[in-house]
Amino acid sequence: MSDISSNSAEERAINASQMKVSDTDVAIDVVGMHKWYGDFHVLRDIDLKVMRGERIVVAGPSGSGKSTLIRCMNRLEEHQQGQIIVNGTELTADLKRIDEVRREVGMVFQHFNLFPHLTILQNLTLAPIWVRGIPQAEAEATAMHYLERVKIPEQANKFPGQLSGGQQQRVAIARSLCMQPKIMLFDEPTSALDPEMVKEVLEVMISLAEEGMTMICVTHEMGFARQVANRVIFMDQGQIIEQNEPETFFSNPQHERTKLFLSQILH
Amino acid sequence: MSFSFVREQMVEPAPAPVNTAGPIAWARRNLFATPSDSLLTILAIVLLVWAIPPIYGFVMPNFLGGDAVPPGGTVEQCRVETAGACWAYISARMTFFIYGFYPAEEYWRPNLVFALGTLLIIPLAIPRVPFKRTNAILFFVVYPVVCFYLLNGGVLGMPSVPTEQWGGLLVTLIISLVGIICSIPIGILLALGRQSKLPIIKTLCIMFIELWRAVPLITVLFMASVMLPLFMPQGTTVDKLLRALVGVTLFSSAYLAEVVRGGLQALPRGQYEAASSLGLSYWKSMWFIILPQALKHVIPGIVNSFIALFKDTSLVSIVGIFDLLNTVQAASSDIDWSSPTQAITGYLFAGMVFWVFCFAMSRYSIWMERRLDTGHKG
């Protein structure tokens, strides 16, 4: 567990209180959703309403379906029952709708998934140019802006293989941001990183949260959950077991499974 | 007993010990490391001493210490009992080996085709040269059309030369180049189709690939030249060379499809997912993300297919097309040059020509592989 130093944690807490969550604007609405892998019922009766500006951390033991859940939100996985409505567009087999949703939803993966044959700058500009049709010069300017935000503008012309894990993950975040998404999904963004590099990635994610980005993070970083999340969701066996504000979630968990999980990871 | 330790001085990197370098150390390590290594080394040297002098003597002309008859020599010199390779025969029949039965007064046309091809393919193969797009359009679109009209004639006052008269290296290069260039896109589409989620496309691609892979090329060529005309309506004919071209291309594209599929499967799923999650459509993610990486992974396999195709073009001789090997074979019964080493020199020459082209392809692919290597896999 990497904790951001206590000093900045206080500052962050203040900032976090300023982060506005909309009361009316629904970013993602999951209604009675089920998913099966063949005969295996991975997601069961998921109901989740994500408001604009929320920072949600999804926690749970491995195999509980948390990654599958957020991968359903941009249709990397398809669900078989129920509804998923993202930015007002319902996800169905319709490719046009899927593309519409994916343009507005950024995703960051555990293993970065940068394109190794392209330079960092090309990684960042490819989708803006070819999906949004932005002119190359403009796309490059935007890319440099976001590379500066994640503090590695000097790496623009290198290839992903020449960067450290933490740098690669920051590039991956910048790559998503270049599409100016309304929602960001994080699928265990720090799990594949060396311990020394976790912090630099978390800092980028925190600053994103401060700007009011709607975020859903699957993560084991409970320090991050405490500081940034406005809601923690705990999953087990494909179901949402418990959700609450982080404060209450950590100090006063209700479900037995949650208590067991927290006792295992918070030593 | 105490194990407490704190490092006070960091150890700077130092050069490696010197006795691991130098030719003697190299020989000891690589040639004479163990008794059995030494034995193998000695055996290899004996084998080389036994084999190289006779080969050298056969191939090299007089002034280089061999028995061969150099270009410009006479048939009488070739008929001498101890004579080596009869290079004089090769040089005398060279135009036949290059152009086949193409009329001699029209040689400038294939020559122009060779020159234009070289002029276009060299800048295309060197990455540093600019104007790649124009160059590619010229080579892949304009050049084939120009070549066809130049060689076939019948326009601009050039007398018509039917494809039956084309031959030699010219035909070998035409078949292999057309086969290589056309089989790349077809092979890629087949490989993508085989991975498609759409069942009809997938089934069709699998059927096509498995059918062509399961049939020998000779059968394909026989079918194309003997069977196909039987099914065609009376009176319509498809050019023999064209039929061979189509056969070779489809045959090779089936093989290529399987090579490309290997590359597609080797890519981590995360690459597909990252491309999708950015909103890239199927064709855009294939074009920008998947294919560049997949093809790079399988360059050796692709070039392997091309080399095989280049050599397999010699099979068209069995349907009566005069490719390089067939011209060599035909010329070997030329009485004017009949001599003990006439046939073997011809085959040696054909082998050398094939080797030069295949070796060039092989080296180019290795060079390309290194160039495209950005160091790390995704």
Side-chain angles (χ1 to χ4, degrees):
Chain A
M1 224 96 328
S2 90
D3 252 323
I4 288 61
S5 70
S6 64
N7 219 351
S8 72
E10 276 166 31
E11 287 168 34
R12 301 292 189 195
I14 297 164
N15 287 334
S17 73
Q18 295 170 336
M19 292 183 254
K20 284 274 181 295
V21 173
S22 168
D23 295 328
T24 49
D25 189 0
V26 181
I28 301 178
D29 198 1
V30 182
V31 187
M33 190 265 278
H34 292 256
K35 172 171 177 57
W36 287 263
Y37 282 131
D39 281 339
F40 179 53
H41 199 170
V42 270
L43 290 178
R44 310 177 197 173
D45 192 30
I46 304 286
D47 278 292
L48 178 63
K49 190 170 279 197
V50 181
M51 307 308 288
R52 188 79 55 207
E54 276 205 276
R55 291 90 47 204
I56 296 180
V57 161
V58 184
S62 61
S64 58
K66 41 193 201 308
S67 285
T68 312
L69 172 60
I70 69 164
R71 288 160 59 86
C72 283
M73 291 174 178
N74 66 351
R75 195 77 176 186
L76 285 185
E77 306 278 356
E78 58 175 57
H79 58 284
Q80 280 84 34
Q81 217 178 80
Q83 279 184 308
I84 303 177
I85 300 159
V86 182
N87 295 320
T89 307
E90 185 183 351
L91 281 169
T92 61
D94 183 355
L95 288 176
K96 243 173 77 186
R97 290 186 185 196
I98 295 174
D99 283 342
E100 206 172 293
V101 166
R102 284 176 178 167
R103 274 199 291 272
E104 307 296 338
V105 178
M107 187 167 212
V108 175
F109 300 86
Q110 180 176 2
H111 296 288
F112 331 135
N113 296 350
L114 295 179
F115 306 130
H117 62 301
L118 301 177
T119 64
I120 301 305
L121 196 60
Q122 289 169 330
N123 263 277
L124 267 61
T125 55
L126 185 85
I129 292 174
W130 293 102
V131 178
R132 288 221 190 274
I134 291 170
Q136 185 174 352
E138 194 183 321
E140 283 179 358
T142 313
M144 286 315 293
H145 166 76
Y146 283 111
L147 277 183
E148 263 155 44
R149 263 209 56 180
V150 301
K151 301 195 180 71
I152 36 175
E154 72 281 1
Q155 313 285 2
N157 293 314
K158 289 194 181 163
F159 286 98
Q162 296 167 298
L163 270 54
S164 75
Q167 290 174 325
Q168 289 195 45
Q169 193 61 299
R170 284 186 280 156
V171 170
I173 295 174
R175 178 174 70 178
S176 290
L177 293 177
C178 282
M179 285 292 283
Q180 323 253 336
K182 293 185 179 141
I183 302 168
M184 286 286 285
L185 306 172
F186 293 85
D187 189 0
E188 305 206 25
T190 55
S191 300
L193 295 176
D194 289 342
E196 288 185 301
M197 293 168 180
V198 171
K199 190 179 154 195
E200 62 190 49
V201 171
L202 287 183
E203 275 175 353
V204 172
M205 291 169 63
I206 290 168
S207 76
L208 259 185
E210 284 169 356
E211 286 175 13
M213 176 67 77
T214 309
M215 298 164 66
I216 304 177
C217 314
V218 173
T219 181
H220 300 295
E221 297 294 334
M222 291 304 138
F224 173 81
R226 275 211 175 109
Q227 286 168 44
V228 178
N230 69 311
R231 176 150 51 136
V232 179
I233 290 176
F234 179 74
M235 287 183 72
D236 188 34
Q237 294 177 20
Q239 299 153 69
I240 295 177
I241 301 287
E242 188 167 347
Q243 53 172 316
N244 218 326
E245 291 175 347
E247 192 76 6
T248 330
F249 178 85
F250 288 111
S251 62
N252 190 16
Q254 300 297 310
H255 198 281
E256 284 308 313
R257 187 67 188 86
T258 320
K259 289 178 188 167
L260 177 66
F261 178 77
L262 288 176
S263 74
Q264 299 289 341
I265 63 163
L266 304 173
H267 354 262
Chain B
M1 199 182 83
S2 164
F3 48 75
S4 161
F5 167 77
V6 177
R7 181 171 291 286
E8 300 197 329
Q9 206 154 20
M10 302 302 276
V11 181
E12 296 300 323
V18 281
N19 62 354
T20 49
I24 293 176
W26 181 89
R28 187 171 291 167
R29 196 166 56 242
N30 294 298
L31 301 178
F32 302 101
T34 63
S36 58
D37 271 11
S38 311
L39 189 69
L40 283 175
T41 302
I42 292 164
L43 271 177
I45 291 171
V46 168
L47 192 72
L48 290 176
V49 169
W50 174 76
I52 286 181
I55 294 176
Y56 183 88
F58 184 80
V59 170
M60 288 298 167
N62 230 330
F63 53 87
L64 288 172
D67 304 318
V69 180
T74 63
V75 67
E76 283 72 30
Q77 288 172 298
C78 289
R79 286 182 179 145
V80 173
E81 190 96 359
T82 56
C86 185
W87 299 121
Y89 151 70
I90 299 294
S91 68
R93 302 304 311 267
M94 189 57 103
T95 55
F96 182 57
F97 298 151
I98 293 178
Y99 309 102
F101 297 108
Y102 213 87
E105 61 277 19
E106 303 293 332
Y107 279 170
W108 65 272
R109 281 152 61 178
N111 283 344
L112 191 58
V113 164
F114 287 140
L116 281 176
T118 317
L119 226 61
L120 286 172
I121 210 168
I122 287 179
L124 197 62
I126 302 173
R128 261 180 302 138
V129 179
F131 308 117
K132 277 279 174 292
R133 187 187 295 252
T134 322
N135 198 336
I137 292 174
L138 281 177
F139 183 71
F140 291 113
V141 182
V142 180
Y143 179 65
V145 178
V146 171
C147 283
F148 174 76
Y149 283 111
L150 255 179
L151 292 174
N152 200 49
V155 287
L156 299 172
M158 290 184 291
S160 169
V161 180
T163 57
E164 284 76 23
Q165 295 183 24
W166 305 10
L169 185 62
L170 176 68
V171 156
T172 295
L173 289 178
I174 288 175
I175 297 175
S176 42
L177 263 183
V178 171
I180 286 173
I181 290 168
C182 295
S183 66
I184 295 175
I186 301 176
I188 289 175
L189 288 177
L190 283 171
L192 291 176
R194 194 168 184 165
Q195 296 219 312
S196 169
K197 284 185 197 139
L198 307 170
I200 295 176
I201 292 183
K202 185 176 177 159
T203 315
L204 285 177
C205 288
I206 292 179
M207 278 167 57
F208 181 93
I209 293 170
E210 297 302 341
L211 178 77
W212 286 87
R213 282 207 309 167
V215 177
L217 182 55
I218 293 198
T219 317
V220 172
L221 293 172
F222 265 129
M223 294 278 279
S225 69
V226 182
M227 302 283 286
L228 199 62
L230 298 181
F231 295 114
M232 303 284 280
Q234 206 91 65
T236 53
T237 53
V238 179
D239 185 83
K240 190 160 66 175
L241 183 63
L242 181 64
R243 278 176 296 187
L245 276 177
V246 172
V248 167
T249 302
L250 295 182
F251 185 81
S252 149
S253 60
Y255 274 91
L256 208 62
E258 287 301 279
V259 175
V260 173
R261 186 166 70 102
L264 290 173
Q265 283 174 340
L267 274 200
R269 210 166 56 125
Q271 292 293 310
Y272 292 85
E273 289 177 352
S276 308
S277 77
L278 286 168
L280 287 164
S281 67
Y282 175 80
W283 290 109
K284 280 176 187 165
S285 47
M286 287 303 137
W287 181 255
F288 291 114
I289 309 297
I290 305 303
L291 284 175
Q293 296 184 66
L295 294 180
K296 191 179 84 182
H297 284 313
V298 292
I299 287 177
I302 291 177
V303 175
N304 205 20
S305 298
F306 289 164
I307 289 176
L309 182 148
F310 189 83
K311 294 187 294 183
D312 282 351
T313 56
S314 54
L315 290 175
V316 298
S317 61
I318 61 146
V319 294
I321 295 172
F322 274 85
D323 76 312
L324 176 65
L325 188 65
N326 209 7
T327 52
V328 167
Q329 196 147 14
S332 68
S333 51
D334 179 353
I335 305 168
D336 291 347
W337 281 94
S338 74
S339 62
T341 60
Q342 180 192 14
I344 195 168
T345 310
Y347 291 126
L348 204 59
F349 166 75
M352 272 161 39
V353 173
F354 276 106
W355 183 83
V356 165
F357 280 97
C358 293
F359 187 67
M361 278 195 266
S362 161
R363 298 314 296 180
Y364 182 70
S365 89
I366 290 174
W367 180 77
M368 210 55 198
E369 234 174 289
R370 291 217 186 103
R371 218 193 96 83
L372 290 176
D373 187 11
T374 54
H376 301 264
K377 293 181 179 164

